[in-house]
Amino acid sequence: MKNIHPDYRPVVFRDRSADYAFLTRSTATSDQTVEWADGRTYPVIDVDVSSASHPFYTGRGRIVDSTGAVEKFKRRYGR
């Protein structure tokens, strides 16, 4: 049963919105590459959210309410 597992190798995950990237090991694949600080080239995967941009980790929370649910709640329960 050889070759049943995907290749596990170094990969860079990059959060462009926070100008943050980290090198880890993964089975994820990508056709894009990036040169890392060690001078080697690694596959790079762009992510929408990382610990550098997620409101829970940054403390910069925001409420996205396009339907008016927050105001409706405040009117209904007087808060």
Side-chain angles (χ1 to χ4, degrees), residues 1 4-5 13 16 18 20 22 24-25 29 33 37-40 42 44 50 53-54 62-63 66 68 70:
M1 299 210 80
I4 61 170
H5 297 288
F13 287 89
R16 288 185 182 262
Y20 176 71
F22 60 94
T24 188
R25 296 181 59 82
T29 60
T33 59
D38 63 5
R40 295 181 181 174
Y42 298 102
V44 63
S50 72
S53 63
H54 193 282
R62 60 180 184 257
I63 297 174
S66 60
V70 172

Side-chain angles (χ1 to χ4, degrees), residues 72-79:
K72 191 177 190 181
F73 178 87
K74 288 179 180 178
R75 280 194 311 270
R76 180 179 288 175
Y77 297 104
R79 295 183 186 175

